[in-house]
Amino acid sequence: MNIAIQQHYDNLQSGFLKSPRQLLVGGRWVDARSGATFPVYNPANASVIAHVADAGPDDVDLAVKAARHAFEDGPWSRMSPADRAKLLWRLGDAIEAHAEELALIETLDNGKPIKVALALDIASSAERFRYYAGWATKMNGELCPPAAHDGGKFHAFTTRQPVGVVGLITPWNFPLLMAVSKLAPALAAGCTTILKPAEQTPLSSLRLGELMQEVGFPDGVVNILTGFGQTGAAIVEHPGVDKISFTGSTDVGRAIVKASTGNMKRVTLELGGKSPVIVFPDADMNVAVEGVARGIFANTGQVCQAGSRLFAHEKVFDQLIEGIAAKAGKLKIGPGIEFDTEMGPVVSQEQLDRVAGYLTAGLEAGAKAVIGGTKMKRDGYFVEPTIFTSSTTDMAVWREEIFGPVLCATSFSDADLDHIAAQANDTEYGLAAYVYTRDLSVAHKIAKKIKAGSIRINGGMVDSNVPFGGFKQSGWGRENGREGAEAFTEIKSVIISL
Ligand code: NAI
Ligand code: MG
């Protein structure tokens, strides 16, 4: 730890992490009505770092009332889009001003390397608020000239209105960034919100709640309820909530769809993936090795769009696997708090057991581990970066989302793009796909054939202005970009008989 981080650490210990963190309801920090709390762990050493309130149905009810009041009668409904934009921009500045502290919280809570938390999670969170500040003033409708009626007699147009009170349920892999990716467009659109961060990683969302108060968000616009799946389920079932935006497992996504039918909530889902990576023989091997390794080992593989199924042409297969294994072997694995750490632990004991279970199942089914294959013998939730070859398409490691640093690789020999695409599409998921080739024609043709929400050719990024989401069981709807904000609106058609 360097001196600045040590100072933030000491401050957190004597302040933010010392007493149990409360719920944010209607602008006030309060205990859960039941008084219940639960512990939060540091994945690097399995120690308890904080306690947070465990919100129950009563707390959900109070938060919904506060959000409803702020939406219908409170200052939020009267605030101009330009003033909402100012608040969002100021929040981006506040995140930047507290970047080191927020990165440290994220590292202690989630385990990720602090330099990654700073450069990616916190920097992107600040930028996302600023990006959506711009959309607050641009939620236009359109003129709809009548098709089968006399345009001289009728004038028709659409407006976009905020959908209302929205429940935002987030996962633990990018705790702050996932919360921000929902809050920013929801607030830009004019909604009021109830945020339920993942039980494994609630701390950065709670600190964000304090910053939102400091920059002047009115009471009730953002309510934060920490808790487990039951808390999320109570939000999903609540008749006073108009929309749910969820990121997490496909199983919970399915449960949310079922539970939201009571009042026909709008639902946006960003779910799991088992994304294919296709390396053609003409690819730049340095680019491919670097990209494939980053695509599966970044964030310890806990990335919804991780490239986890590798299809490499037989001419380059050995070279590619050797290169990726060499990179994996050199990764500096350790506590995220150390500045030279490149791969931290997985988030929890449960996740460690899940990933280790897949590793055992893969080996038992006959997959061969070129590198890795087991959890690490050290404190904390550490697992070895792993590459499986000889894994067949019927194996669980090949078919299911592992959400750990585990790559399954196979080779292909033919040049038939339809056949290659069919293999890549042989999954229930459709979040992302990665293609490495220098042939522009092959790149475009295969991009068209693959059923996934994002296709990344020779590398890629996630960007506020580029829609992100899944085909098939990877989700409903898109986040980011114009679509991300419009997902928090209803379209109203106004027809005037002249
Ligand atoms: P999860 O889907 O159970 O949890 C995500 C969020 O949903 C958490 O905030 C949780 O409290 C909440 N939740 C759980 N049950 C709920 C319910 N019935 N109603 C409403 N909210 C509910 O994910 P979990 O169990 O932590 O991880 C399991 C697997 O899910 C991972 O191994 C990974 O494969 C996948 N996953 C995918 C993510 C993605 O980014 N697409 C993120 C996290 C997990
Ligand atoms: Mg779960």
Side-chain angles (χ1 to χ4, degrees), residues 95 98-99 102-103 106 116-127 176:
I95 289 174
H98 292 84
L102 286 165
E106 214 67 322
V116 177
L118 261 175
L120 178 70
D121 300 63
I122 309 306
S124 302
S125 295
E127 191 276 331
L176 185 67

Side-chain angles (χ1 to χ4, degrees), residues 169-173 178 196-200 227-233 236 246-250 252-253 255-256 270-273 303-304 350-351 354 401-403 431:
I169 302 176
T170 55
W172 42 258
N173 50 345
M178 292 293 114
K196 208 298 279 175
E199 56 271 31
Q200 296 86 349
F228 292 80
Q230 295 95 302
T231 310
V236 174
F246 169 76
T247 298
S249 62
T250 293
V252 171
I256 285 177
E270 205 270 273
L271 308 174
V303 179
C304 52
E350 191 189 0
Q351 194 61 17
R354 187 179 290 142
E401 179 175 58
I402 299 176
F403 230 59
L431 194 57

Side-chain angles (χ1 to χ4, degrees), residues 33-273:
R33 294 298 293 258
S34 68
T37 64
F38 63 93
V40 179
Y41 296 89
N42 176 352
N45 56 20
S47 67
V48 173
I49 48 170
H51 287 84
V52 299
D54 186 1
D58 293 350
D59 303 299
V60 170
D61 212 40
L62 290 170
V64 173
K65 284 203 178 83
R68 178 59 60 190
H69 175 70
F71 183 73
E72 306 287 353
D73 322 303
W76 201 238
S77 52
R78 291 190 293 273
M79 193 179 280
S80 71
D83 284 340
R84 285 207 310 274
K86 267 188 219 160
L87 279 176
L88 287 169
W89 191 275
R90 261 188 240 148
L91 188 56
D93 287 348
I95 289 174
E96 207 167 75
H98 292 84
E100 283 187 344
E101 180 200 350
L102 286 165
L104 177 60
I105 290 174
E106 214 67 322
T107 291
L108 292 172
D109 207 358
N110 164 281
K112 66 180 64 201
I114 190 158
K115 70 172 183 213
V116 177
L118 261 175
L120 178 70
D121 300 63
I122 309 306
S124 302
S125 295
E127 191 276 331
R128 191 128 320 156
F129 273 122
R130 292 183 185 134
Y131 171 80
Y132 275 111
W135 275 113
T137 49
K138 294 166 194 70
M139 302 305 288
N140 297 344
E142 59 182 13
L143 193 66
C144 311
H149 291 83
D150 182 350
K153 288 200 181 134
F154 293 98
H155 178 67
F157 62 94
T158 59
T159 62
R160 286 194 175 270
Q161 300 192 340
V163 71
V165 173
V166 298
L168 312 175
I169 302 176
T170 55
W172 42 258
N173 50 345
F174 296 91
L176 185 67
L177 184 56
M178 292 293 114
V180 169
S181 297
K182 298 186 186 305
L183 282 168
L187 297 170
C191 293
T192 59
T193 63
I194 299 153
L195 170 66
K196 208 298 279 175
E199 56 271 31
Q200 296 86 349
T201 54
L203 298 175
S204 54
S205 291
L206 293 170
R207 186 69 185 100
L208 180 71
E210 294 180 342
L211 295 179
M212 293 184 108
Q213 290 187 301
E214 281 171 30
V215 302
F217 277 86
D219 294 349
V221 172
V222 177
N223 303 275
I224 305 177
L225 301 180
T226 46
F228 292 80
Q230 295 95 302
T231 310
I235 297 170
V236 174
E237 280 157 23
H238 201 291
V241 175
D242 299 302
K243 176 187 166 96
I244 296 292
S245 176
F246 169 76
T247 298
S249 62
T250 293
D251 283 347
V252 171
R254 206 171 274 119
I256 285 177
V257 169
K258 289 187 184 139
S260 62
T261 56
N263 65 338
M264 297 303 280
K265 286 182 182 61
R266 282 76 184 106
V267 177
T268 299
L269 303 170
E270 205 270 273
L271 308 174

